[in-house]
C-alpha cells in the first residue's frame, strides 16, 4: 500500500500529457497494481486521468513494432472507461503469450491469466489509459459537450503519441473502431502524418489482430479489477459493490443506484457517471439548485432575443413602408 503523499505524486506524473516509459517490468507491475487498487486522496477533478506506459523491450527500441488499441467499459453507468494498447516487435513474437482473442469472448479466468502473463512478459509493451467516471461526467456536461467518441479518439491518439515519444517506431497500428471506421482512420493518418504508420481501423479488430486482442485484455481486466476493489474518494462513504455489470439495464445496477442515492445535493459517489440518462433522471428528484451564473446567462439570452425581435419588427415595418410609398408614387 502506497502512502497518500507519494501516491499523489505518482498519479500526478501519470496524468501528464506525455508519461515516461517505466524503467523495468517490476516498476511497471507496481504502478499497474497502484492504478487498480488505490485512488489518490482527492478525486481527479480537472485535466486528464492517469495513463501508464510500460517498460519497453530492447527489440522494441531498435525494431518497428505492431500496435493494437481497444477499450473496455464504454456503456456502463458506473466506473471508468479504460483504454489499452499493446505492442511488440515482430522478432519477439515467440515470447508473446498465446491465446489472445477478443477479451469479451474469453472467460474471466482465461482473461485474468493472460493479463498476468502480460505483466510478466517484458517483450510485450503496453499502455493503460483510465478515464474515471468523474472525467467522463465533467467532459460530457460542460457547456460545450466533449462527447464519448471524441474522448475515445483522443485517448487512442495520446497512447500512440506516448509510444512515439518514448522513441518507438510503429509500423502498423490496429484499432477497434469508434464511430465510422474510414473517418477515424483518416483522422489518425492526418494526426500522425510523417511517422510512416499504417493504420488499420475496423469493427471487431480485437477479434482479428493479436496486438489488438492483447490491448483488449489489458483494458478489460484492469477495469474489472478496479471495479472489484473500487476505492471511494468520498470520506466515510460506505457502499457495497454488488452492482452487477454496471450497465443501466442490469437489474442489480438499478437496485444499487436506488440504494446508494445517499446525498440530497451531490447524490452519488464519483463511481457514477453523472452524464448518463438514468443518473440525470435520479438527480431530478433531489434538491433543486439554482445557479446565479445560469440566471445571468438566461437574462442575457432573453435580452438578446428581445433585441433581435425588435430588429426583425423594424425590418418588417420599413419593408411595408417602402412598399406603400412605391404604390403611392405609381
Amino acid at each position: 500500500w502506497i502512502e497518500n503523499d507519494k501516491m499523489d505524486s505518482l498519479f500526478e506524473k501519470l496524468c501528464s500529457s506525455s508519461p515516461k516509459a517505466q524503467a523495468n517490468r517490476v516498476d511497471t507491475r507496481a504502478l499497474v497494481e497502484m492504478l487498480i487498487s488505490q485512488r489518490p486522496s482527492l478525486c481527479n477533478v480537472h485535466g486528464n486521468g492517469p495513463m501508464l506506459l510500460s517498460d519497453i523491450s530492447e527489440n522494441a527500441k531498435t525494431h518497428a513494432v505492431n500496435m493494437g488499441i481497444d477499450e473496455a467499459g464504454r456503456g456502463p453507468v458506473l466506473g471508468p472507461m479504460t483504454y489499452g494498447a499493446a505492442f511488440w516487435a515482430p522478432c519477439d513474437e515467440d515470447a508473446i503469450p498465446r491465446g489472445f482473442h477478443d477479451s469479451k469472448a474469453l472467460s474471466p479466468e482465461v482473461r485474468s491469466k493472460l493479463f498476468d502473463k502480460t505483466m510478466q512478459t517484458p517483450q510485450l509493451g503496453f499502455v493503460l489509459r483510465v478515464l474515471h467516471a468523474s472525467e467522463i461526467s465533467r467532459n460530457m456536461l460542460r457547456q460545450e459537450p466533449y462527447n464519448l467518441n471524441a474522448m475515445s479518439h483522443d485517448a487512442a491518439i495520446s497512447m500512440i503519441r506516448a509510444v512515439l515519444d518514448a522513441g518507438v517506431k510503429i509500423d502498423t497500428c490496429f484499432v477497434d473502431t469508434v464511430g465510422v471506421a474510414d473517418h477515424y482512420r483518416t483522422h489518425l493518418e492526418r494526426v500522425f502524418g510523417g511517422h510512416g504508420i499504417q493504420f488499420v481501423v475496423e469493427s471487431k479488430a480485437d477479434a482479428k489482430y493479436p496486438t489488438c486482442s492483447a490491448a483488449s485484455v489489458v483494458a478489460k481486466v484492469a477495469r474489472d479489477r478496479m471495479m472489484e476493489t473500487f476505492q471511494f474518494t468520498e470520506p466515510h462513504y460506505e457502499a457495497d459493490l454488488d452492482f452487477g455489470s454496471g450497465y443501466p439495464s442490469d437489474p442489480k445496477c438499478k437496485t444499487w443506484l436506488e440504494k446508494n442515492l445517499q446525498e440530497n445535493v451531490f447524490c452519488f459517489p464519483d463511481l457514477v457517471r453523472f452524464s448518463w440518462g438514468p443518473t440525470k433522471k435520479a438527480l431530478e428528484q433531489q434538491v433543486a439548485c439554482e445557479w446565479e451564473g445560469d440566471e445571468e446567462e438566461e437574462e442575457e439570452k432573453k435580452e438578446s432575443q428581445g433585441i433581435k425581435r425588435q430588429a426583425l419588427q423594424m425590418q418588417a415595418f420599413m419593408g411595408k413602408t417602402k412598399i406603400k410609398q412605391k404604390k403611392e408614387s405609381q
Side-chain angles (χ1 to χ4, degrees), residues 218-229:
V218 168
K220 176 67 175 169
V221 176
R223 185 183 189 277
D224 286 348
R225 292 185 180 181
M226 284 180 199
M227 296 299 282
E228 289 168 4
T229 59

Side-chain angles (χ1 to χ4, degrees), residues 291-308:
W291 301 95
E292 186 176 340
D294 291 345
E295 291 175 357
E296 290 174 355
E297 289 175 8
E298 190 63 31
E299 289 300 319
E300 290 176 1
K301 185 177 179 182
K302 288 180 180 178
E303 184 178 347
S304 175
Q305 289 174 341
I307 292 171
K308 287 181 180 178

Side-chain angles (χ1 to χ4, degrees), residues 74-107:
R74 181 179 174 81
V77 67
L78 303 178
M81 177 171 73
T82 52
Y83 252 83
F87 59 91
W88 58 79
C91 56
D92 281 333
E93 191 74 41
D94 290 343
I96 304 304
R98 298 290 177 240
F100 283 117
H101 299 284
D102 176 9
S103 65
K104 293 180 283 295
L106 300 173
S107 70

Side-chain angles (χ1 to χ4, degrees), residues 18-24 28 52-56 61 87 162 166 168:
S18 184
K20 304 298 182 185
Q22 303 310 306
N24 52 61
T28 295
L52 167 66
L53 172 59
S54 73
D55 54 304
I56 298 170
K61 294 175 183 176
F87 59 91
V168 177

Side-chain angles (χ1 to χ4, degrees), residues 33-70:
E33 182 60 30
M34 185 192 79
L35 279 179
I36 288 173
S37 63
Q38 300 186 47
R39 298 284 303 278
S41 56
L42 292 175
C43 177
N44 174 40
V45 293
H46 64 87
N48 294 329
M51 179 166 66
L52 167 66
L53 172 59
S54 73
D55 54 304
I56 298 170
S57 74
E58 289 303 316
N59 281 335
K61 294 175 183 176
T62 56
H63 297 74
V65 304
N66 291 325
M67 184 176 184
I69 296 175
D70 194 21

Side-chain angles (χ1 to χ4, degrees), residues 104-122:
K104 293 180 283 295
L106 300 173
S107 70
E109 293 77 19
V110 171
R111 277 200 305 265
S112 185
K113 287 179 181 178
L114 283 170
F115 182 84
D116 292 338
K117 287 181 180 179
T118 297
M119 297 301 110
Q120 297 163 6
T121 306

